[in-house]
Amino acid sequence: MARRPGAPAAYREEFSFVSPLVKYLLFFFNMLFWVISMVMVAVGVYARLMKHAEAALTCLAVDPAILLIVVGVLMFLLTFCGCIGSLRENICLLQTFSLCLTIVFLLQLAAGVLGFVFSDKARGKVSEIINNAIVHYRDDLDLQNLIDFGQKKFSCCGGISYKDWSQNMYFNCSEDNPSRERCSVPYSCCLPTPNQAVINTMCGQGMQALDYLEASKVIYTNGCIDKLVNWIHSNLFLLGGVALGLAIPQLVGILLSQILVNQIKDQIKLQLYNQQHRADPWY
């Protein structure tokens, strides 16, 4: 049948605006993080189940296992939308994925800016977290190992000073404290001894009862907050690289999903155009 004069030629049936490269690149991109999210959830659940229930409840706010599970579940749901949306060319799922990823990116950006602008308040919050961790030091083994690692790594003791350990019921320096660790500090506060084969876990015994100069001969007396702030200031380029490393995959995901959404919309328009012209007797 002759085509109506002046009518545009339709695209061939096998033509598609949807690029297989973009489609499957986005799919495998999401698949990678989907697998990572499942590993995170599995590790978090395993760590949670291995804890004693009573210890976990007292330290719920700083439990890294809970944080791992929550982040893993959110990542799982987000990457699920990206995987299925790209594979099935579903605009709704792809737009949900792109929107959620944009929100996450903006929240991270806002947190970084607010942390820089309100550095004093951020410092106060860090101090509150550290003091709370000191209180629950003996209640949670994972938290205890984390604090010991931090004190050894930054060569510090307590939040502001070594006497912050008096906030812990076992290390409290009050006269009515029956604990055998009264007025002590954890062994991780102690200065390293060269060629020491066995760690002396009682090296911090009675250190809070000593003044600053006497205690400094045996333990670290400076608090971890100042040490942490100094470490951040001296490693800004490293932290910036980590932030950039987190931002790039998010921006790539947003860009690929938007490209694919636009290609799918163009493909839908093409299909409607071809259907319309098939029904045209002059086509």
Side-chain angles (χ1 to χ4, degrees), residues 153-171:
K153 175 69 176 177
F154 294 108
S155 302
C156 59
C157 186
I160 298 176
S161 75
Y162 65 103
K163 293 198 175 183
D164 289 341
W165 279 103
S166 196
Q167 299 177 59
N168 185 281
M169 61 182 295
Y170 298 100
F171 300 116

Side-chain angles (χ1 to χ4, degrees), residues 162-213:
Y162 65 103
K163 293 198 175 183
D164 289 341
W165 279 103
S166 196
Q167 299 177 59
N168 185 281
M169 61 182 295
Y170 298 100
F171 300 116
N172 188 274
C173 236
S174 59
E175 293 292 339
D176 58 346
N177 183 11
S179 173
R180 298 175 65 180
E181 295 180 307
R182 174 182 171 274
C183 273
S184 301
V185 295
Y187 77 95
S188 54
C189 289
C190 297
L191 297 172
T193 303
N195 303 321
Q196 186 179 27
V198 180
I199 297 176
N200 180 15
T201 57
M202 302 299 292
C203 59
Q205 192 75 24
M207 287 296 112
Q208 291 187 62
L210 303 179
D211 60 32
Y212 185 88
L213 290 176

